[in-house]
Amino acid sequence: MRRSADELDKMRKAGKVVAEMHEATRAAIRPGVTTRQLNDIAAEVLAKRGARSNFLNYHGFPAVICTSPNDMIVHGIPGDYTLKEGDIISIDAGAIIEGYHGDAAYTAGVGEISAQAKKLIEVTERSLWAGIAQLVKGNRLNEVGRAVQNVAEAAGYSVVREYVGHAIGTAMHEDPQVPNYWPGTPGPTLKEGMVFAIEPMVNIGSYETYMLDDGWSVMTEDGTLSAHFEHTIAVTENGPEVFTAA
Ligand code: MG
């Protein structure tokens, strides 16, 4: 769907709130902090900016961010988990302003992390930006996934298949979906005013996943580390505009 200038402006504002949730949680990441504390910090940003949460109560999700450490890929529920030196933690955050949504994620290290973990984070973020660069008027949507996959696989990593990016607007998850790999068909032609959440999930090992008994937490099947980066981006006359960047 193509959004009007007025709608894009609201999404820009929602994106700024998400960027602020990222900054605030990132500044708090250190050994000894619980994922519940990170959630509370993000909730304070929502309250301060008069934004609503799109995560809270989404199919019953009980928090305003997802917190996914180490071999957890996405959708972790904030709680008693205490960050420890050497962990990596993925934070996914969202906000609604005047009915319009923003959605973005990052992965950070806790204290000193291994060279392998650092490289995973660096490659996953780079794969996101390679995907974003494809969000150009006239291009085909699934070039995003092809670009993401090329970066991740060149590093010897794999891209998660079951969970994908999405269009975003008056709902967090709108059609079409945006796979982080080449799905075999080019997909829709990109037009100005379309907005997408691009969100590669990259594993050091295989892309297979399983879910914990909580019905949310998605894990790597082989127990290897996973990283997740996401931005909300509009296709504009001047190329991709990232709404959730700091
Ligand atoms: Mg998303």
Side-chain angles (χ1 to χ4, degrees):
M1 175 180 283
R2 301 177 70 176
R3 302 288 170 184
S4 69
D6 180 56
E7 289 179 295
L8 293 176
D9 207 47
K10 288 171 181 165
M11 296 191 74
R12 215 169 261 127
K13 287 178 186 154
K16 281 280 169 239
V17 176
V18 178
E20 197 176 333
M21 294 165 86
H22 280 198
E23 279 178 65
T25 53
R26 194 187 275 276
I29 288 173
R30 63 178 65 83
V33 169
T34 66
T35 51
R36 181 180 290 111
Q37 286 174 295
L38 297 177
N39 182 73
D40 292 347
I41 287 164
E44 278 173 31
V45 173
L46 287 169
K48 190 165 69 177
R49 297 299 170 210
R52 290 200 302 118
S53 174
N54 35 15
F55 285 34
L56 185 64
N57 298 324
Y58 182 85
H59 296 284
F61 191 78
V64 303
I65 60 173
C66 300
T67 52
S68 308
N70 301 324
D71 60 334
M72 193 181 291
I73 302 169
V74 281
H75 302 164
I77 301 172
D80 293 332
Y81 184 83
T82 303
L83 301 183
K84 61 183 190 302
E85 183 87 16
D87 278 353
I88 65 171
I89 178 82
S90 298
I91 307 283
D92 196 346
I96 310 173
I97 291 279
E98 294 177 65
Y100 288 83
H101 291 242
D103 183 12
Y106 68 93
T107 301
V110 181
E112 271 306 306
I113 61 173
S114 69
Q116 195 187 40
K118 258 183 213 159
K119 185 183 169 196
L120 174 69
I121 291 172
E122 182 268 318
V123 167
T124 307
E125 184 167 22
R126 191 150 47 81
S127 78
L128 168 61
W129 287 100
I132 289 171
Q134 296 298 319
L135 289 176
V136 173
K137 186 171 87 169
N139 199 6
R140 304 290 289 262
L141 180 62
N142 291 339
E143 293 298 336
V144 170
R146 179 170 9 219
V148 167
Q149 183 176 21
N150 281 344
V151 171
E153 292 184 356
Y157 300 147
S158 67
V159 166
V160 171
R161 301 298 200 264
E162 287 106 322
Y163 304 88
V164 296
H166 47 93
I168 180 168
T170 51
M172 179 160 58
H173 295 141
E174 297 185 348
D175 287 332
Q177 294 191 336
V178 188
N180 295 301
Y181 55 92
W182 176 252
T185 54
T189 299
L190 297 173
K191 298 189 171 75
E192 269 178 79
M194 291 179 166
V195 187
F196 299 97
I198 305 300
E199 51 177 319
M201 288 145 259
V202 176
N203 301 349
I204 285 182
S206 92
Y207 58 67
E208 303 293 337
T209 73
Y210 72 98
M211 192 179 283
L212 294 186
D213 290 340
D214 64 16
W216 284 102
S217 308
V218 179
M219 314 294 292
T220 61
E221 177 72 32
D222 59 11
T224 59
L225 295 177
S226 183
H228 180 207
F229 279 85
E230 177 180 26
H231 274 306
T232 296
I233 309 108
V235 178
T236 79
E237 184 63 49
N238 305 314
E241 180 183 345
V242 182
F243 287 163
T244 43

